[in-house]
Amino acid sequence: MNFAATPRLPRALLHDIKVYERTFVRDGPGGQSRPVDKAIKTFKGIVMPLSNKDLKDLPEGTYTENSQKLYTDAPVEIGTNQIIEDTFDGQRYTVKTSLGHNSIHPMMQYIVEGVVKK
């Protein structure tokens, strides 16, 4: 694909987004299982609030005040329930669904749910 002739998201808007792989470890024999996140890749993207049109038109279910939309034109595969982190503000999100792209613009869109910071 010739990316020079392809529309791109404005570079000045994009941040580094880290994708994490989550595994679980036990704290000793018979101990509690706890999650451990390991960064597996980084790409450029931006997380933005859902618009009123998004909230009205998306059939995937209900969304909360923590629901956002992730935009990227990077050739990255992100799976449902994968954890991502916006390095701009350190906010983590769980990927809920992919909204795909169209044939003219390679931009990918995902609905993500913010993880409440502790």
Side-chain angles (χ1 to χ4, degrees):
M1 177 178 249
N2 181 4
F3 282 110
T6 304
R8 302 292 300 247
L9 292 169
R11 302 292 101 186
L13 293 178
L14 305 181
H15 311 129
D16 283 339
I17 306 288
K18 290 183 182 178
V19 180
Y20 289 88
E21 178 178 86
R22 178 167 278 183
T23 57
F24 290 87
V25 297
R26 286 204 184 277
D27 293 328
Q32 293 290 323
S33 178
R34 63 181 172 83
V36 175
D37 295 335
K38 176 183 172 187
I40 56 171
K41 55 188 154 188
T42 302
F43 65 94
K44 295 285 188 187
I46 186 167
V47 177
M48 305 271 299
L50 292 176
S51 68
N52 287 338
K53 183 179 182 322
D54 291 329
L55 293 169
K56 178 182 164 202
D57 293 344
L58 293 174
E60 285 83 12
T62 59
Y63 296 96
T64 71
E65 63 187 40
N66 294 329
S67 296
Q68 306 283 317
K69 193 187 277 189
L70 166 67
Y71 297 90
T72 185
D73 54 17
V76 65
E77 296 279 332
I78 307 169
T80 303
N81 294 323
Q82 195 132 31
I83 304 295
I84 63 163
E85 178 182 356
D86 186 342
T87 61
F88 178 73
D89 63 2
Q91 177 65 52
R92 288 194 175 195
Y93 301 89
T94 302
V95 177
K96 292 299 184 183
T97 188
S98 170
L99 300 176
H101 66 285
N102 64 42
S103 61
I104 297 171
H105 199 295
M107 179 178 63
M108 295 294 296
Q109 302 172 58
Y110 300 87
I111 299 296
V112 296
E113 185 74 23
V115 176
V116 178
K117 291 183 180 181
K118 293 181 180 179

